[in-house]
Amino acid sequence: MPDAFTVLWTHDTCRALRKAGRVGERPPVAFSGVHSSLPAWSGARVGDEVYALHVNRCVVYVVSRMRVTDMERRQCCGNTPATWQDPAFPGHGDWSMLGADGCGAAAVHVDATPVRFDVPVPGDLLATLTWRNRRGHTRGLKYVTADGRLERSISLQGFYRLTSESAGELAALVGNAAP
């Protein structure tokens, strides 16, 4: 059974997506890294889903749902850089804002929903979302207010495995979102 994860896309990443006109387009790739500058998608496998989240003014949005299709460098990625000055993934230059230039970046090919910034996670759902670690321990979000707003995004920063219940809730939210 596939797992589901969340990854937080920063304001800089989302601003770059908007500026490049990528809203409404489906990202073919995301990037994993070995350095803290990029989330490490090390727990993900082919078939797993990743929910890209964004926090804006204390509201959490689902920006895209990505199903991992491949975690290897392919021809579409372009030539491997010969020097440190060369782009790491010239074939994915249109999506480089997702971390192509990050330290130790690796391409993760995905089948994704279009990038959008209008699918908020309702406050009552936000308060009940849970993640589990490899040992099976679960945790919820910290800093969720009584009215369902997220005061601090620190507990979303990283790449975290959702519980199956929370993955189902986010899948339903994305599936029911108006096109």
Side-chain angles (χ1 to χ4, degrees):
M1 179 174 178
D3 285 326
F5 299 84
T6 58
V7 64
L8 183 67
W9 283 355
T10 65
H11 285 289
D12 289 341
T13 298
C14 293
R15 189 177 305 114
L17 285 165
R18 286 185 184 104
K19 185 176 180 183
R22 299 291 165 243
V23 175
E25 295 183 20
R26 297 173 184 265
V29 68
F31 297 93
S32 172
V34 296
H35 184 265
S36 61
S37 61
L38 279 177
W41 292 39
S42 57
R45 298 179 311 254
V46 172
D48 288 345
E49 291 188 340
V50 178
Y51 292 89
L53 304 177
H54 176 62
V55 180
N56 188 13
R57 298 186 179 159
C58 300
V59 177
V60 178
Y61 295 88
V62 178
V63 180
S64 182
R65 177 179 59 199
M66 301 172 280
R67 182 167 290 117
V68 177
T69 60
D70 188 3
M71 298 185 78
E72 301 294 325
R73 187 180 187 101
R74 294 196 230 154
Q75 276 188 317
C76 62
C77 296
N79 295 330
T80 304
T83 70
W84 65 271
Q85 297 169 323
D86 295 336
F89 297 92
H92 294 302
D94 290 348
W95 296 95
S96 63
M97 72 284 294
L98 297 181
D101 298 324
C103 184
V108 178
H109 295 91
V110 295
D111 177 23
T113 61
V115 170
R116 56 193 298 182
F117 297 97
D118 62 348
V119 183
V121 177
D124 57 336
L125 174 57
L126 189 63
T128 64
L129 287 177
T130 53
W131 290 260
R132 67 177 169 83
N133 65 19
R134 292 181 188 211
R135 292 183 226 148
H137 297 117
T138 60
R139 69 162 179 92
L141 277 178
K142 295 180 180 179
Y143 309 114
V144 178
T145 64
D147 61 348
R149 299 172 59 80
L150 187 65
E151 289 183 329
R152 296 186 187 119
S153 63
I154 189 73
S155 56
L156 279 178
Q157 294 173 5
F159 189 79
Y160 298 113
R161 184 182 322 266
L162 287 161
T163 61
S164 58
E165 298 81 17
S166 291
E169 293 286 346
L170 286 181
L173 178 68
V174 171
N176 291 334

